[in-house]
Amino acid sequence: MRRRFKIRQEIQANIFLNDISLVEPFRRVGAGQPPQNNGDLTRSRRFALLPHVFEKMLISRYACSARDCWSVNKIMAPSSTERDELFKGFARALFKGDMAALYSVVTPDFLWTFHDGLAVTKSLAGAAAIAEHLAEQKALFSAQRFHDVAYHHAGDMTFMTFRVSETVRATGEQREQRGVECYTFRDGRLATKDVYRKPTGP
């Protein structure tokens, strides 16, 4: 059993040294001596180099893993199916004015920027600001209906195109606008919402 284990160690040592030799094919073995190929090293010298081999392999492996993980977390966005579920929950929460439900599908620092298509621009950060905006919209309009809603998933963003019909409560004025909403994601949730609207043409 010990002999098998020792043979396996020797095989692994040779594999490790061969891996390192691809990166660093020549190594000085003593001051004043010429470079020597790892393939020419004696078996005892190979084992003497193992600590250095392990160190280089671990540094290389974990450096790559950390970089890869950072890249994946940075660029990976929810799938189309996952986004559809997020938007269903988001729409239900907004319709009910349920901030707890809303913040189950958005990030804690979710930012909603809004332009009403006329003159008002807002940046809504936090549950209180969003709840206040929804209350203002409800007080301003006696009716507000969205039509032709379509989601377009593109890379790490999603765009929602729509048409909206609104009736101003105080005057009865009818408004028709078209718009687009741009969404970004982080950690499997909605991170930002940017709304752009403009009046429809005659």
Side-chain angles (χ1 to χ4, degrees), residues 36-195:
Q36 188 173 9
N37 191 292
N38 283 340
D40 297 332
L41 295 175
T42 63
R43 187 171 67 177
S44 61
R45 182 57 179 161
R46 284 171 179 260
F47 278 105
L49 288 175
L50 273 179
H52 303 288
V53 172
F54 276 116
E55 181 182 4
K56 288 193 175 185
M57 288 187 68
L58 289 172
I59 291 173
S60 175
R61 178 174 299 174
Y62 285 102
C64 291
S65 297
R67 182 171 61 251
D68 292 343
C69 288
W70 179 84
S71 298
V72 168
N73 288 334
K74 182 175 182 294
I75 66 175
M76 183 172 285
S79 67
S80 295
T81 301
E82 291 170 334
R83 296 185 199 196
D84 290 339
E85 290 303 312
L86 283 175
F87 286 120
K88 286 179 184 177
F90 186 73
R92 282 195 298 264
L94 288 180
F95 180 75
K96 296 179 179 179
D98 187 341
M99 293 299 104
L102 182 73
Y103 275 83
S104 70
V105 296
V106 305
T107 58
D109 59 348
F110 175 71
L111 179 64
W112 177 354
T113 55
F114 173 85
H115 190 283
D116 69 350
L118 299 174
V120 178
T121 301
K122 293 182 179 180
S123 291
L124 310 173
I130 293 173
E132 182 180 358
H133 171 71
L134 296 177
E136 289 175 353
Q137 292 291 101
K138 189 173 182 179
L140 179 60
F141 302 111
S142 59
Q144 187 180 51
R145 290 183 172 81
F146 287 82
H147 316 278
D148 305 328
V149 175
Y151 290 94
H152 311 271
H153 304 311
D156 58 353
M157 297 182 69
T158 290
F159 301 90
M160 186 189 92
T161 54
F162 63 92
R163 183 170 57 84
V164 61
S165 303
E166 299 170 328
T167 303
V168 179
R169 187 181 298 276
T171 64
E173 176 191 355
Q174 302 287 320
R175 292 183 184 176
E176 291 286 335
Q177 293 186 331
R178 289 191 178 278
V180 59
E181 299 182 354
C182 307
Y183 294 89
T184 62
F185 305 87
R186 191 177 72 250
D187 300 329
R189 298 186 178 193
L190 294 167
T192 63
K193 169 180 176 172
D194 294 329
V195 182

